[in-house]
Amino acid sequence: MGTVDIQRAGQDVGVDLAGVAKLVADGTRAAFCLALLDGRAWTANELARYAGVAPSTATSHLNLLVNGGLLVEERHGRHRYVRVADRRVIELIESLAALAPKHSAPPRSLSASGRQQALARARLCYDHLAGTTALAITDAMVERGLLEWGPEPGLTGKGALWLAEVGITVPAGSRRPPVRACLDWTERRPHLAGAVGAALSAHALATGWMTRIGTTRALLVTPAGRRALHDHLGLPTAELCS
């Protein structure tokens, strides 16, 4: 099939897949999308500093992402914020990140190296936990029979009782799946997402098990969190410190 035939095929089905692909094909726009997985709304200046580009460059890229439907903007007074448009976009970014070749870029400084290590250890993936800590939590829940982790993952009856005992509340009436496997793009293994994953993350932050590191989406497991994860899931406290 030639180039003209491929273009015609795309037009026939009425889907401009190439248009969406072009939006994330740029390194700066891809970096913006990954940063916005923390679930917060960012300003153009914040994203410019994050990606190391000029504010005017950031604005141009953000306009493309907003016009393309991947991001939406919110205005509060004179300030303009952007965030991920919806959960479909989050899943798209996560899936692409998991498929992307993994390479270890040398950190520009000791602080950059520390940030990379912190993100790999524990971070927010929109509204649920990711990183090696999230994988350890998921593995422990599966081993204890709290999760069914097959082609159709789900919460077991034992898991529902465990959530109640710990005090983790999953909002009723949610249209999202209770349990979803999200492929961790740093570890290449699935961690817990869905309504249960979001509730667990919210509980960890609300109770002080975990806390944000500065303004990044990296998380620190606190001493209280290490004790709680050991008591509730048997996770070794030494591993949660590393």
Side-chain angles (χ1 to χ4, degrees), residues 4-227:
V4 174
D5 293 331
I6 293 174
Q7 293 174 341
R8 194 169 295 152
Q11 294 169 357
D12 288 344
V13 297
V15 175
D16 186 10
L17 181 61
V20 176
K22 285 172 62 177
L23 289 173
V24 293
D26 177 87
T28 298
R29 293 196 291 274
F32 289 172
C33 290
L34 287 171
L36 288 163
L37 285 181
D38 68 356
R40 297 182 298 165
W42 292 50
T43 67
N45 285 339
E46 288 172 336
L47 287 168
R49 288 193 295 270
Y50 174 84
V53 298
S56 58
T57 300
T59 298
S60 297
H61 284 301
L62 290 173
N63 288 339
L64 289 172
L65 291 168
V66 170
N67 292 336
L70 297 188
L71 304 182
V72 293
E73 66 176 14
E74 300 174 353
R75 291 195 177 271
H76 299 278
R78 293 179 299 174
H79 299 287
R80 176 206 192 197
Y81 296 84
V82 294
R83 58 177 174 79
V84 178
D86 57 36
R87 196 164 305 282
R88 294 173 304 165
V89 177
I90 296 163
E91 293 174 0
L92 170 66
I93 296 168
E94 289 173 347
S95 298
L96 290 174
L99 289 171
K102 188 176 181 180
H103 66 277
S104 299
R108 292 189 289 263
S109 65
L110 287 175
S111 60
S113 175
R115 285 195 298 272
Q116 288 181 6
Q117 292 174 8
L119 283 168
R121 187 162 50 245
R123 65 183 183 277
L124 282 174
C125 183
Y126 189 64
D127 63 357
H128 59 271
L129 303 175
T132 55
T133 300
L135 289 172
I137 291 172
T138 302
D139 290 344
M141 292 181 72
V142 173
E143 289 170 4
R144 290 176 171 239
L146 309 179
L147 293 176
E148 291 285 352
W149 207 240
E152 296 184 5
L155 185 71
T156 66
K158 186 177 179 181
L161 291 174
W162 180 83
L163 291 177
E165 291 171 359
V166 176
I168 299 173
T169 303
V170 180
S174 175
R175 297 179 62 183
R176 66 191 301 190
V179 172
R180 186 173 68 84
C182 174
L183 190 60
D184 196 295
W185 58 269
T186 55
E187 300 301 318
R188 297 302 200 267
R189 290 177 52 213
H191 58 242
L192 173 64
V196 172
L200 175 60
S201 174
H203 184 82
L205 291 169
T207 57
W209 292 4
M210 299 183 188
T211 183
R212 282 183 182 270
I213 299 177
T215 58
T216 71
R217 59 193 178 108
L219 300 173
L220 174 70
V221 182
T222 66
R226 292 195 290 271
R227 288 193 298 271

